């Protein structure tokens, strides 16, 4: 750690040389005061650096702090006599309308990213540094679900989808039904169908809940999530034509086994263990009982898969927030 970094009071200097990753104690230092919290948020694009006065159109870039009850408000202010306008810095941001302080939201997001248990999250975000109050289980649940929504929006609702595979890469696609089995055996009665694929070489994957499993739906999903030219291995398609028309090479799994592919059995294990991991992850959170949250939990699973480097995860998450909530500056 450099000398510069260890001077928490000099927030401007700290912001100038932000590291590529942030651990818990660094986050504590960067957000020691409300002013530093705002600087931190502006540095990472979570808050706008300025806004226009809705009355006179002047650029307002000075943040005004005022204490209200237990919390501090941070607002842009137009001090012109005719305007007297205040615009909250959280307007149009992920933090708008949050019932807890910016600092607490940020630390709960940190806990979410690091997959902390509710108990840990409560312990790490309670006390004098955090609004002087104990974090409730409901607060953690709410914040975790807002975090999941950000990831879901970022993964599925933006125009740019990170495609897996590519020329000379092989992606195996498969469909599976998720849901609770009676006494853990037998057929799944009321479940959710999921279509997904895993790249053999990179282990990157996509998973999407589907309403129907027609060839058209599945081909469209492959076109969206898999790069053109990829070798697709699956048993989901009755004929090769529909995929080859779209510029993919299609091999059925049985077909390639017949031709003595020595990797096949090992590879099938990877696919199966991934499905199993997803199921296990979803079942432990009981997401399968709430269909409307299913997609968000799937997105969370994928996001953690795509961001294996735990050191950079939090920064990556801040970037996802900015992507979904560009704020006033954009
Ligand atoms: Zn004004």
């Amino acid at each position: 750690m450099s000398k510069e970094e260890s001077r928490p009071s000099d927030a401007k200097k700290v912001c100038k040389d932000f590291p590529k990753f942030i651990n818990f104690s660094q986050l504590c230092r960067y957000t020691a005061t409300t002013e530093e919290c705002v600087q931190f948020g502006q540095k990472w694009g979570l808050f706008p650096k300025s806004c226009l006065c809705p009355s006179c159109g002047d650029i307002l870039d000075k943040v005004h702090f005022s204490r209200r009850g237990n919390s501090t408000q941070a607002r842009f202010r137009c001090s012109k006599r005719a305007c007297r306008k205040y615009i909250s810095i959280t307007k149009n941001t992920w933090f708008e309308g949050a019932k807890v302080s910016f600092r607490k939201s940020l630390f709960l997001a940190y806990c979410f990213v690091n997959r902390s248990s509710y108990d840990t999250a409560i312990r790490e975000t309670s006390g004098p540094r955090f609004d002087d109050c104990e974090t409730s289980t409901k607060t953690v649940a709410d914040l975790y679900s807002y975090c999941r929504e950000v990831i879901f929006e970022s993964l599925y609702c933006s125009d740019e989808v990170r495609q897996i595979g590519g020329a000379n890469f092989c992606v195996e696609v498969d469909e599976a039904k998720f849901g609770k089995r009676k006494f853990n055996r037998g057929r799944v009665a009321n479940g959710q169908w999921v279509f997904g694929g895993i790249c053999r070489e990179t282990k990157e994957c996509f998973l999407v809940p589907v309403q129907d499993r027609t060839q058209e739906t599945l081909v469209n999903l492959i076109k969206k999530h898999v790069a053109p030219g990829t070798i697709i291995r699956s048993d989901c398609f009755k004929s090769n034509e529909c995929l080859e028309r779209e510029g993919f090479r299609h091999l059925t799994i049985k077909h390639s086994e017949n031709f003595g592919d020595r990797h096949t059995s090992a590879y099938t294990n990877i696919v199966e263990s991934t499905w199993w991991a997803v199921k296990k992850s979803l079942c432990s959170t009981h997401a399968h009982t709430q269909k409307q949250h299913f997609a968000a939990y799937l997105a969370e699973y994928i996001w953690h898969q795509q961001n294996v480097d735990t050191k950079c995860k939090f920064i990556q998450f801040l970037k996802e927030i900015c992507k979904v909530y560009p704020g006033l500056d954009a």
Side-chain angles (χ1 to χ4, degrees):
M1 191 193 302
S2 75
K3 253 189 180 167
E4 217 115 277
E5 273 186 304
S6 61
R7 284 162 55 194
S9 58
D10 197 350
K12 259 185 196 156
K13 265 221 164 87
V14 172
C15 286
K16 223 164 90 185
D17 298 302
F18 260 67
K20 283 205 174 65
F21 62 89
I22 295 178
N23 63 27
F24 196 80
S25 70
Q26 283 167 317
L27 185 61
C28 292
R29 277 213 323 275
Y30 295 141
T31 60
T33 66
T34 307
E35 286 81 359
E36 283 169 327
C37 277
V38 169
Q39 271 182 319
F40 179 90
Q42 288 184 320
K43 157 78 190 173
W44 286 103
L46 306 171
F47 293 144
K49 291 193 175 80
S50 64
C51 78
L52 298 179
C53 171
S55 297
C56 68
D58 274 6
I59 296 170
L60 314 175
D61 57 4
K62 212 166 175 312
V63 182
H64 186 84
F65 296 93
S66 56
R67 202 141 174 88
R68 203 171 146 187
N70 236 357
S71 61
T72 305
Q73 287 188 311
R75 299 177 294 180
F76 293 112
R77 181 178 64 163
C78 185
S79 49
K80 276 187 190 166
R81 193 174 268 260
C83 300
R84 291 282 162 108
K85 287 280 180 199
Y86 288 91
I87 297 107
S88 171
I89 194 163
T90 60
K91 196 183 171 195
N92 294 336
T93 71
W94 187 57
F95 303 89
E96 186 173 25
K99 292 194 181 72
V100 294
S101 68
F102 171 59
R103 185 186 290 121
K104 190 172 269 197
S105 307
L106 210 54
F107 275 78
L108 284 170
Y110 186 90
C111 291
F112 169 83
V113 165
N114 289 286
R115 295 172 139 163
S116 302
S117 68
Y118 275 37
D119 285 346
T120 307
I122 289 169
R123 195 177 57 238
E124 299 287 12
T125 62
S126 296
R129 277 174 50 76
F130 298 97
D131 321 346
D132 257 336
C133 69
E134 175 106 350
T135 304
S136 69
T137 307
K138 187 179 181 305
T139 300
V140 181
D142 286 350
L143 244 298
Y144 276 24
S145 117
Y146 299 150
C147 291
R148 223 167 271 127
E149 278 169 23
V150 165
I151 286 174
F152 175 75
E153 289 285 328
S154 168
L155 277 183
Y156 291 123
C157 303
S158 72
D159 293 334
E160 43 161 320
V161 170
R162 199 200 292 199
Q163 289 189 319
I164 65 170
N168 298 322
F169 282 96
C170 181
V171 168
E172 181 171 341
V173 298
D174 206 351
E175 46 192 6
K177 198 171 199 180
F178 286 65
K180 207 171 192 175
R181 289 158 197 261
K182 221 175 187 184
F183 308 116
N184 285 324
R185 60 197 160 89
R187 285 167 67 92
V188 179
N190 279 314
Q192 166 77 54
W193 278 100
V194 172
F195 183 64
I198 302 161
C199 179
R200 176 184 195 158
E201 289 81 10
T202 64
K203 308 288 180 288
E204 283 188 302
C205 65
F206 74 89
L207 291 166
V208 194
V210 286
Q211 293 309 315
D212 68 80
R213 294 174 294 131
T214 60
Q215 304 274 295
E216 195 194 351
T217 302
L218 302 187
V219 168
N220 282 337
L221 286 172
I222 289 177
K223 273 163 68 183
K224 185 174 176 189
H225 293 280
V226 181
T230 305
I231 303 161
I232 305 281
R233 290 153 64 111
S234 81
D235 279 335
C236 309
F237 298 92
K238 287 178 195 76
S239 74
N240 286 334
E241 275 166 47
C242 54
L243 278 172
E244 289 179 355
R245 226 182 5 242
E246 303 291 347
F248 297 101
R249 276 180 62 203
H250 181 231
L251 300 172
T252 66
I253 290 162
K254 284 181 191 118
H255 174 88
S256 52
E257 265 171 0
N258 289 341
F259 283 81
D261 185 334
R262 62 197 167 86
H263 296 299
T264 302
S265 60
Y267 180 55
T268 307
N269 282 340
I270 294 171
V271 177
E272 275 174 8
S273 66
T274 301
W275 282 125
W276 186 81
V278 177
K279 279 193 178 181
K280 192 169 163 256
S281 143
L282 292 179
C283 288
S284 68
T285 56
H286 304 288
H288 55 282
T289 58
Q290 306 159 292
K291 256 192 177 174
Q292 72 273 28
H293 299 314
F294 189 82
Y297 278 95
L298 268 186
E300 180 187 356
Y301 178 85
I302 302 225
W303 188 81
H304 281 295
Q305 278 247 315
Q306 287 178 348
N307 296 281
V308 243
D309 190 345
T310 47
K311 281 200 301 191
C312 306
K313 258 186 181 181
F314 184 60
I315 299 289
Q316 184 55 38
F317 184 73
L318 298 183
K319 288 180 185 165
E320 312 288 3
I321 296 179
C322 299
K323 192 167 134 193
V324 181
Y325 294 87
L328 291 164
D329 253 358

